[in-house]
Amino acid sequence: MKARVVVTLKNGVLDPQGKAIEGALKSLGVEGVESVRQGKVFDVEVTGADAAAAKAQLTAACEKLLANTVIENYQIDV
C-alpha cells in the first residue's frame, strides 16, 4: 500500500529556505508568487491492506522521526 506523508512548518515558524526560494523565483522573473513555504514529502510503501493500521504506523513514524512536531505539522494520505 502506498502512502504519502507531507511535512510542513507550522504557521509562525520562520522559513529561511522558503524565503530564499521566493527571492530566487523573483530574480528569475517568475511573477505572481506572493510567498513560498518549504516542506518535505515522503512516499512510503507499507505492507498490509489495512489503511487504518498503515496510518497508525505512519503517525508513529512522524511522531518519532519524520516530523519535528514542535515546529512542523504533518499530513498522511494512505
Side-chain angles (χ1 to χ4, degrees):
M1 176 181 322
K2 293 184 178 184
R4 175 165 281 184
V5 178
V6 178
V7 178
T8 56
L9 290 169
K10 291 181 177 178
N11 288 335
V13 175
L14 293 178
D15 183 3
Q17 187 175 1
K19 284 292 183 194
I21 294 167
E22 181 184 322
L25 289 172
K26 288 179 182 172
S27 70
L28 291 171
V30 177
E31 296 181 17
V33 176
E34 188 169 308
S35 67
V36 176
R37 300 280 290 170
Q38 64 87 31
K40 49 193 170 187
V41 174
F42 301 93
D43 288 325
V44 183
E45 290 197 33
V46 182
T47 58
D50 184 351
K55 192 166 187 172
Q57 287 178 317
L58 291 171
T59 297
C62 287
E63 296 288 330
K64 293 177 182 176
L65 178 67
L66 300 180
N68 177 349
T69 57
V70 174
I71 62 169
E72 296 175 322
N73 293 316
Y74 60 87
Q75 177 181 336
I76 302 167
D77 294 317
V78 178

